[in-house]
Each structure stands twice: as structure tokens, then as C-alpha cells.
């Protein structure tokens, strides 16, 4: 294998690490073949930048002794350092990917941070699709499962915040698009359904709002045997009240307490 290139050359290497939807390392758009064992090392370093060697070794080889895990990590890092397409920065006790390596997870986290701070994302369409795929599907390491759920929740909250921001600004079409994207990501989550109802009401579409409510209610009853929360029901109290009144059975006339039934002779 070739010797590790100087750090200054790393800056000119256009390398991208894709972890959402599956592991892919590319150089100028061309896939780089990486053995599965080294994929795990690269993926973890990409998710835990600046982690100590001891921490990385413990996560990668949790059942091995610390000495053996650190030995396995040293071997893996040596192999990675021979490849110019996966440049690393290794200090006395930490390991990280060179900043020249673009990681798709970082793009999702940066976009979510901008939305959380109330800033409009640079690319609205990209914000909707960012993180649409799960982190490393088919991988079941504990550190993968933890990060997968963290990123899933991060994206859901980002989409809901985008929808809320558009709704507040009167951009109902964009708000609905973001809410529906969140709904597709987690169909049983109430927040995006509640947003859809609010958006339809803001547009004056009472029928659409009621329809969206009952679609979610039926789904929730079928899957979890639960009813929508009072907060969601309250959104449609005024709209639903005439429907509830119309569906109630007519009350029977009261009977006088002293009145007894009479029987007529034939």
C-alpha cells in the first residue's frame, strides 16, 4: 500500500462519507472499496469526531479486553492511514477524519441546528430530504442504534419546526409539505398530524382538517387502541361539535314519576 500522504494533500482530496441509507465512501463520486471491518471503524470515527482511542476501541470491540481492543484499533488505524482516500488526523490520544472529508450526517446536523436557531435553511428542498434514510440500516451495534434514534428524532423535530415556521409566515403550501414529510417518517407521531390539521384550518379548509383528524384517529385506534390527545381534539372542537350533535340519538321524552302504564281492555 502507498504511504500516508502529507496532510496538505488531504485538503485537495474530494472524499465523501455516506452513512445515511448505508455505508459508502466516495472519491470524486467514485465508490472506494472498504472492507467491512474497516467500515465500522470509519463510520464510528465519523460519528464520534475527536473520540479517544480507548473510547473508540471499547465501542468497536466491547467484548474484548481493553488491551486487545486497543491493539485491534491500532492495526485498523495503520491500515486506514495507508489509504489516501480516507485521511485521518491522529493526535496523542484522539482520532478524527480530516475536515476535507464530507460526512452526510454532519449536513443533517448543521441544517437542523440552523432551523433550531430560527434561521431558514440554505436549501429548503434539501432540508426536507436530509436524513430521509436511516443511519447504517442493517447494522446493529449499540452505538449505531443509539445514533440512529438520535438522528431520527433530530430530523422529526427539524421538519416540525420547519412546518411551524412556514405556518407562522403564512406559507401554507411549504408548511404542509414539511408536515407531510414528518408524517411519512413516523406515521403514528401526533405532532405532524396536528400540524396538518392546523394548516388546513389556517387555509379555511374545514373539510380537509376534519378528514385529516379522522384519518389519524382511525390509524391510532387500529394500531394502538388509543384516541388522539385532548390538544389535538381541541383544535377541531368548534368544527366537530355540529357533527357530534347530529350523530347523537334523539333524547326520549321524560316520563312523569306518578304516571303508571295503563292497559286498555280489548
Amino acid at each position: 500500500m502507498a504511504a500516508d500522504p502529507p496532510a496538505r494533500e488531504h485538503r485537495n482530496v474530494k472524499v465523501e462519507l455516506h452513512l445515511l441509507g448505508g455505508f459508502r465512501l466516495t472519491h470524486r463520486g467514485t465508490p472506494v472499496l472498504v472492507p467491512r471491518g474497516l467500515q465500522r471503524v470509519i463510520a464510528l470515527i465519523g460519528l464520534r469526531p475527536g473520540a479517544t482511542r480507548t473510547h473508540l476501541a471499547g465501542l468497536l470491540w466491547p467484548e474484548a479486553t481493553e488491551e486487545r481492543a486497543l491493539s485491534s484499533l491500532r492495526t485498523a488505524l495503520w491500515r486506514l492511514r495507508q489509504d489516501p482516500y480516507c485521511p485521518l488526523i491522529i493526535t496523542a490520544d484522539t482520532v478524527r477524519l480530516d475536515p476535507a472529508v464530507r460526512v452526510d450526517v454532519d449536513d443533517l446536523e448543521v441544517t437542523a441546528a440552523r432551523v433550531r436557531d430560527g434561521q431558514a435553511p440554505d436549501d429548503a428542498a434539501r432540508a426536507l430530504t436530509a436524513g430521509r434514510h436511516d443511519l447504517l440500516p442493517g447494522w446493529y451495534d449499540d452505538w449505531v442504534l443509539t445514533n440512529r434514534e438520535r438522528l431520527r428524532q433530530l430530523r422529526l423535530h427539524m421538519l416540525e419546526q420547519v412546518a411551524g415556521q412556514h405556518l407562522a409566515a403564512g406559507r401554507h403550501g411549504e408548511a404542509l409539505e414539511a408536515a407531510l414529510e414528518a408524517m411519512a417518517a413516523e406515521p403514528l407521531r401526533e405532532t405532524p398530524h396536528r400540524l396538518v390539521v392546523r394548516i388546513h384550518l389556517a387555509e379555511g379548509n374545514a373539510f380537509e382538517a376534519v378528514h385529516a383528524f379522522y384519518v389519524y384517529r382511525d390509524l391510532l385506534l387500529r394500531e394502538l387502541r388509543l384516541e388522539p390527545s385532548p390538544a389535538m381534539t381541541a383544535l377541531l372542537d368548534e368544527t366537530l361539535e355540529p357533527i357530534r350533535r347530529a350523530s347523537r340519538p334523539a333524547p326520549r321524552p321524560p316520563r312523569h314519576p306518578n304516571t303508571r302504564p295503563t292497559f286498555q281492555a280489548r
Side-chain angles (χ1 to χ4, degrees):
M1 289 186 177
D4 187 35
R8 62 177 178 276
E9 293 183 10
H10 288 170
R11 301 293 180 176
N12 298 321
V13 176
K14 294 185 178 180
V15 178
E16 294 188 355
L17 175 59
H18 303 268
L19 302 177
L20 301 172
F23 182 97
R24 274 193 313 126
L25 186 69
T26 63
H27 171 242
R28 299 184 185 277
T30 302
V32 177
L33 183 62
V34 182
R36 180 59 182 265
L38 294 183
Q39 287 182 16
R40 294 175 67 248
V41 179
I42 296 172
L44 181 56
I45 294 173
L47 290 169
R48 300 289 181 92
T52 64
R53 293 186 186 222
T54 302
H55 189 198
L56 292 173
L59 291 173
L60 290 166
W61 295 278
E63 298 181 359
T65 65
E66 181 176 332
E67 182 179 355
R68 186 163 185 174
L70 285 170
S71 176
S72 297
L73 180 62
R74 281 194 298 271
T75 301
L77 293 178
W78 180 86
R79 292 175 64 188
L80 288 173
R81 284 173 64 85
Q82 312 311 304
D83 192 336
Y85 300 143
C86 186
L88 301 173
I89 294 179
I90 301 177
T91 61
D93 193 41
T94 60
V95 185
R96 67 172 65 243
L97 293 175
D98 189 281
V101 181
R102 182 173 179 177
V103 185
D104 58 357
V105 170
D106 293 344
D107 292 342
L108 170 59
E109 292 181 331
V110 168
T111 302
R114 288 178 61 86
V115 171
R116 186 171 57 247
D117 293 340
Q119 304 176 42
D122 296 330
D123 186 342
R126 186 171 183 176
L128 296 185
T129 57
R132 182 177 283 174
H133 302 291
D134 282 341
L135 175 75
L136 298 169
W139 293 30
Y140 300 104
D141 305 75
D142 288 343
W143 54 269
V144 174
L145 297 177
T146 301
N147 280 283
R148 184 182 297 158
E149 179 61 18
R150 177 181 67 83
L151 293 173
R152 190 180 75 89
Q153 291 293 333
L154 181 71
R155 180 172 187 259
L156 285 170
H157 283 90
M158 176 188 71
L159 291 171
E160 290 164 1
Q161 287 174 313
V162 169
Q165 290 170 4
H166 285 316
L167 176 59
R171 297 188 293 268
H172 299 135
E174 292 91 334
L176 187 59
E177 188 176 6
L180 291 175
E181 186 74 31
M183 188 188 300
E186 183 45 81
L188 292 173
R189 185 180 173 93
E190 181 174 302
T191 315
H193 289 271
R194 198 186 306 162
L195 279 163
V196 169
V197 170
R198 289 175 55 202
I199 293 164
H200 288 315
L201 290 174
E203 290 184 300
N205 294 323
F207 167 78
E208 294 282 6
V210 172
H211 176 71
F213 173 84
Y214 278 108
V215 165
Y216 177 63
R217 180 177 181 270
D218 291 345
L219 174 65
L220 207 58
L221 284 171
R222 183 172 64 252
E223 296 295 331
L224 300 177
R225 298 183 182 276
L226 294 174
E227 288 277 354
S229 72
M232 184 165 185
T233 305
L235 292 174
L236 288 169
D237 274 346
E238 292 184 7
T239 306
L240 291 176
E241 185 54 33
I243 300 174
R244 295 192 186 104
R245 285 200 303 268
S247 62
R248 291 177 189 142
R252 295 181 179 180
R255 190 177 65 182
H256 194 278
N258 295 326
T259 303
R260 293 183 179 182
T262 59
F263 300 92
Q264 295 181 347
R266 295 185 180 180

